[in-house]
Structure formats: C-alpha cells, structure tokens
Amino acid sequence: MKKIFLMLSCSAVILLAQDFNAPMKAYMNELEKEAKAQDASFERFDAKRGESIFTSQHIGKKAQEMSCTTCHKSDLKATGLNVNTNKTIAPLAPSANAQRLTDVEEVQKWLRRNFNDVYNREGSALEKGDVLTYLINQ
C-alpha cells in the first residue's frame, strides 16, 4: 500500500511540475555552460538556492533594504506591486500566469533589471539559473 501511495504521489508531482519551452530550455543550457565555465564543480541548478536568492534581503540600488519579494510578494501566484513605480506586476508563477518564463528576451531583460535593483549588480549564470529553476516550479 505504501508503494502505491508513493508512486501516486510521485506521479502527481511530475504532472504538476512545469517545464520551460524550447527557447527557454536553450537559454538554460547557455546558463549551464556559463556556470560550468565559472565553476568546474557545478552540477545543476537548484530551486532551493533559487528560493534563497529570491527571498534574501539586500541593500538595493536605491540604498533601501529589499528582496525580490519586496515587489513580487512571497506568494508568486498573487499580483505584485513595483515599490518604485507603483505599477501592478502580474503573478510571477507560471502556474498562475502562463506567459511567464516563455520569452527569453523578456526574461533576460527582467533578470538584468531586477538583479540590479536588489543586488546592485548583474546576477551570475548560477544565480540566474537557480532563480529560474525556483520560479518554474511555482
């Protein structure tokens, strides 16, 4: 009985898991190559590291403490609010917003801007890959 329950649970997780489209998979492959070139011990992107990057507090470019959740909120299925412009941000979770993480140019643009806003620098390939891995599973 336990084996059946475990198999059903694993099947449900697999069915609910999101995956990147082909252009985003190619971008993730580029990030993997770059991460491997920067660190030969790199094995794979990690959603837990991505969550930590996404939720950790830093002094941002406007000299205020913030994290990605400052604007995107902790519940990524909910609408966020840009604290600088007061513009509404559509849910970031692909499970709540099918358009998220589908356009490579948009993803690159927002990763660059948001890392600069929160971290006051561009994110590394490892950080970007980890954050995207975290987000695709939301």
Side-chain angles (χ1 to χ4, degrees), residues 20-92:
F20 293 108
N21 64 17
M24 282 298 298
K25 283 180 185 178
Y27 177 57
M28 291 297 288
N29 288 337
E30 289 175 29
L31 290 175
E32 283 180 10
K33 288 176 188 171
E34 192 176 331
K36 188 74 164 172
Q38 293 170 353
D39 180 1
S41 66
F42 169 79
E43 291 182 25
R44 68 184 157 280
F45 294 123
D46 182 76
K48 281 286 187 202
R49 283 193 313 250
E51 180 179 22
S52 178
I53 293 164
F54 197 83
T55 59
S56 61
Q57 295 282 325
H58 302 273
I59 302 300
K61 76 174 187 179
K62 294 202 173 190
Q64 296 175 338
E65 189 173 68
M66 67 185 315
S67 71
C68 300
T69 60
T70 301
C71 296
H72 291 287
K73 309 301 176 211
S74 295
D75 178 3
L76 299 180
K77 295 177 183 175
T79 300
L81 182 68
N82 185 306
V83 297
N84 297 316
T85 64
N86 286 324
K87 289 183 180 178
T88 301
I89 302 171
L92 191 53

Side-chain angles (χ1 to χ4, degrees), residues 97-113:
N97 181 352
Q99 297 305 308
R100 287 297 191 186
L101 307 182
T102 59
D103 183 314
V104 174
E105 287 182 17
E106 279 289 301
V107 168
Q108 290 172 325
K109 175 180 87 173
W110 286 109
L111 282 173
R112 184 177 52 256
R113 285 185 186 181

Side-chain angles (χ1 to χ4, degrees), residues 117-131:
D117 286 350
V118 175
Y119 283 82
N120 222 3
R121 63 174 173 77
E122 186 161 339
S124 69
L126 177 65
E127 291 169 323
K128 291 174 185 177
D130 284 345
V131 167

